[in-house]
Amino acid sequence: MKLENAVVLVTGANRGLGLEFARQALEKGAAKVYAGARDPASITLPGVVPVRLDVTDPEQVAAAAAACGDVTLVVNNAGIAQPGSLLDANGIDAMQRMLDTNVFGMLRVSQAFAPVLARNGGGALLNVLSVGSWVSSPFLAAYAVSKSAAWSLTNGLRIALREQGTQVLGMHVGFIDTDLTRGIDVPKLQPAHVVERTYAALEDGQKEVLVDELSQKIKLGVAAEPGIYLDLIQR
């Protein structure tokens, strides 16, 4: 799918990676970019159309789909991460919050906009995933659970949307220098690089893109013996 003349919806577009997805969509010639956020007043990027969109709120998702009936590309970017162990006292509550945003939120938006994409020729879904789809860690274990589920969801959506001609691209990446990873002392990628690589894969018609060396290494390690997912990430 080409960005030129596309009509793009980006969820979680008020900052970080979502903001960069919106900015580069405009730069690459999108006809219109809807920037979704819980608080539309937090959208400050010139040239976009702010949309009130909390992906955990079914009514807001339905309203966005009704208001943005010309969309041809949905970027499922909205996501949250809460550090902590699966065995923490609040571990279940934390996981439920992340699943509601990172998995069910992605599904709500995809379900609501699938008919919109169909009416507009098929279009594309771009789902932001993670190396956490394949490996866990002591401090982001529940987040990894949600991203593993989001990976499987992406693969299921690809099958479900095949007949209507919708491209579904899953993007996997390591740590990105955004608010989401603030306080985590690891090497981080710049959002501009991540979005540039991801949009290039979209325009090339790909189904999956591994943005960085870490995600490429880990994906190969899933099939290794022993599997890389059986232990901590080895950099």
Side-chain angles (χ1 to χ4, degrees), residues 6-11 32-37 40 48-54 59-75 109-120 124:
V7 178
V8 184
L9 169 74
V10 182
T11 67
K32 186 188 297 183
V33 177
Y34 294 106
V48 301
V49 180
V51 176
R52 184 178 301 279
L53 181 55
D54 179 349
E59 291 185 359
Q60 287 191 21
V61 172
C68 307
D70 51 351
V71 164
T72 59
L73 168 63
V74 175
V75 181
V109 172
S110 300
Q111 284 184 337
F113 278 89
V116 175
L117 296 176
R119 289 195 302 269
N120 295 325

Side-chain angles (χ1 to χ4, degrees), residues 10 13 17-27 33 35 45 48 199:
V10 182
L17 195 63
L19 176 61
E20 187 63 22
F21 270 117
R23 189 191 70 77
Q24 287 198 32
L26 289 172
E27 184 181 83
V33 177
L45 179 66
V48 301
Y199 274 154

Side-chain angles (χ1 to χ4, degrees), residues 203-224:
E203 294 199 317
D204 196 40
Q206 294 182 30
K207 298 177 180 178
E208 187 169 75
V209 57
L210 314 180
V211 170
D212 59 337
E213 185 178 350
L214 178 62
S215 58
Q216 294 162 17
K217 174 184 175 182
I218 288 176
K219 179 68 181 294
L220 288 173
V222 170

